[in-house]
Amino acid sequence: MRLSSLLQYETIVIQCHDNPDADAIASGYGLYIYFKKHGKNVRFIYGGRFVIQKSNLVLMLRELAIPIEYVTKLDAPDLLITVDCQYDEGNVTHFDAKEVAVIDHHQVSGPLPPMSDVRSSLGSCSTLVRVLLEQEGININEERSLATALYYGLMMDTNQFTEIYHPLDRDLRDDAAFDRSKITMFRNANLSLSELEIAGEALCRYEYEETYRYAVIKARACDPNILGIIGDMMLEVDAVDFCVVYSILPVGVKLSVRSCRKETRASELADYLTDKIGSGGGHVEKAGGLIQLELLQREYSDEYQSAYDAASKLGDFFKKRLKAYFEESEVIYAKDYRADLSQMRAYRRKNLRLGYVKASDVFQTGTKVTIRTLEGDLDMPVKDDMYITIGMGGEVRLIAEEHFKKSNRMLDEPYLFEGEYKPMVKTSFDDKNVSLIPYAKTCIATDGIEIYIKPLNHRVKVFTEWDEENYMLGRAGDYLAVRKDDLHNVYVIAGDMFEQMYEAV
Ligand SMILES: [Mn+2]
C-alpha cells in the first residue's frame, strides 16, 4: 500500500493504541506530517482510560511539538488509520469510520482491511513509516523533530537498538539526523521510581535451572525496556548463562532474552520461544520478542484451556521450551568433526545464476564499505582483486578474482533480483545508501562442488572452520553438508534452497 493512495480521503484520523508508547507516537506523527503537507483535514489521536503520563513520553510530546490528542469520542472520519496496532484489537479503543487502514509491525491478530501494511519482521513501526514516507519522496531528515521522533521510536521498541530484527531498522538507526540532546533528555527520564521497584521485585523472584544454567523471570506489567534492564543484570550473575524476562501486557507477552555463550545466540532463542505464537529476534547477546496469548493457547491447546490459563502458566511454558531447546540442540565444531559417510549421500552443485560485482569498479580501492544484507552487516576494505557475489536470497560473499574467474562463467547480462531486501552499501565518505543490484551482472557458478549430505531431524549448530565464533544454524528439514575434497569443511544448507542448488551424483 502506498501512502499516496490514501490521499483520496479528506478527513483523516490517525489512531495509535491506548497507552501509546514512543514508537506509536513517532509513527503516527510521521503520518500526520505527510497528510498535513497534502492539505488534508487530519488529526492524530488515542483513546483508552489513561492520558499519557510517563515522563519520557511527556517530554517527547513537548520537545518535538507532537500534536497528539486524547479523545473519548470521535465523529466518523472518511478514513481512520491505526498505526502501531490493528483496528479493533484489545488495546485499541473502537471508533467508527467510513474506511479503515492499518499500518503496523506486530503479528497479524485478526482480519485486516484491504488497505493495510503490516510487516512483522520490523523492529518498530517507525521503520515502516520511514519506508512509506521515502516511497513518497519525503526525506525524514528534512524535519529534525520527525527524524528524532522516529529514531526514538525505534530505539524504545528495540531496547536501545539491541533487539533490532531487520536491516531496514539498522538503516533508520544509522541514517536519522536526530537531535542528540533531546534523545539524551528522554533517555534519562525513562524510569520512574515505581518501575525501579518492579525491577527489584522481579530480580528477587527468579527461577533458576542448574543443568542448563538459565533463569526465567516474571515482571509485573511494565514498560518493556525494564525487561531488558532486568535481563542484563541477571546475566551478570556467575551461575547464569541465559535468561528470559517476561511481562504480560495489553499488546501480548513481551520478553527479553539474554545469552553469554557463543553456542546459543539470544536472537535464535527468542525466535525459538516465539515460533508460531508471535515474533522474536535481535542480536547475539540480546534479543526480544512478543507472544500473543491466543496463538499460544491455540498452538498448545492440549495444555491450555484458554488464553487466561496460558497466561497463568507462562513460567512453566518457558521452562519447558528452554529445556526442549537445550535437549534437542547438537553442537558441531567442524575442525574436530568426523562425518559418518555411510549415513550420507553424494550430491553436486548445479550451475547457478548469481549476481556479481567487481568491487573496485564501483568503489574506490582502499575505502571501507559496509554491505548490509538480510543476514547482517559485512564490513570490508575494498581491494583491487575482490569480487562480490549475490545469491538468490540476497546473501553476499566475497571472493578473490583468481578464484572467482576459475569457478564462474561471466555473462554480459544485468542481474535481476527479487528478494526481500536488496543488498545495500554504505561507504565511509558519504552517508548514502546505495543498492548493489544496479551494478551487478549475471554469472553462472560452474565449480560443480561435490558434497555429502544428511537431512537433519533436529537442531544443529555448526561452527565452521572459517568462523569459530558464530555458528550456522540447521533445523529439521535442512541439510548437513561436508565437502568431498575436505571432510572438515562442514556446513548447513537450508532445506528450501537445497533442491534448487544441488543434484544427486
Ligand atoms: Mn511498536
Side-chain angles (χ1 to χ4, degrees), residues 23 84 105-106 125 157:
D23 183 41
D84 196 37
H105 73 122
H106 293 94
C125 197
D157 252 30

Short mmCIF file of all heavy atoms in Angstrom, two decimals, residues 23 84 105-106 125 157, ligand 1:
data_model
loop_
_atom_site.label_atom_id
_atom_site.label_comp_id
_atom_site.label_asym_id
_atom_site.label_seq_id
_atom_site.Cartn_x
_atom_site.Cartn_y
_atom_site.Cartn_z
N ASP A 23 7.12 4.48 20.07
CA ASP A 23 7.05 4.05 18.67
C ASP A 23 5.70 4.42 18.05
O ASP A 23 5.61 4.88 16.92
CB ASP A 23 7.29 2.54 18.60
CG ASP A 23 7.31 2.02 17.17
OD1 ASP A 23 7.88 2.71 16.30
OD2 ASP A 23 6.74 0.94 16.93
N ASP A 84 0.85 1.33 14.47
CA ASP A 84 1.49 0.53 15.52
C ASP A 84 0.45 -0.38 16.21
O ASP A 84 0.66 -0.81 17.34
CB ASP A 84 2.20 1.42 16.55
CG ASP A 84 3.20 0.65 17.41
OD1 ASP A 84 3.85 -0.26 16.88
OD2 ASP A 84 3.30 0.95 18.62
N HIS A 105 3.49 -3.20 12.77
CA HIS A 105 4.61 -4.15 12.68
C HIS A 105 4.43 -5.31 13.65
O HIS A 105 5.38 -6.04 13.91
CB HIS A 105 5.95 -3.43 12.92
CG HIS A 105 6.17 -3.04 14.36
ND1 HIS A 105 7.24 -3.48 15.09
CD2 HIS A 105 5.42 -2.28 15.20
CE1 HIS A 105 7.16 -2.98 16.33
NE2 HIS A 105 6.08 -2.26 16.41
N HIS A 106 3.24 -5.48 14.22
CA HIS A 106 3.01 -6.61 15.13
C HIS A 106 2.54 -7.83 14.33
O HIS A 106 2.36 -7.75 13.12
CB HIS A 106 1.98 -6.23 16.19
CG HIS A 106 2.48 -5.18 17.13
ND1 HIS A 106 2.26 -3.83 16.94
CD2 HIS A 106 3.24 -5.27 18.24
CE1 HIS A 106 2.84 -3.15 17.92
NE2 HIS A 106 3.45 -4.00 18.71
N CYS A 125 7.46 0.27 14.25
CA CYS A 125 6.55 0.82 13.25
C CYS A 125 7.17 2.08 12.66
O CYS A 125 6.89 2.44 11.51
CB CYS A 125 5.20 1.12 13.90
SG CYS A 125 3.88 1.33 12.72
N ASP A 157 11.51 0.70 20.97
CA ASP A 157 10.88 -0.59 20.66
C ASP A 157 11.90 -1.72 20.53
O ASP A 157 11.53 -2.88 20.43
CB ASP A 157 10.07 -0.48 19.35
CG ASP A 157 8.57 -0.51 19.63
OD1 ASP A 157 8.18 -0.04 20.72
OD2 ASP A 157 7.79 -0.99 18.78
MN MN B 1 5.82 -0.60 18.05
#
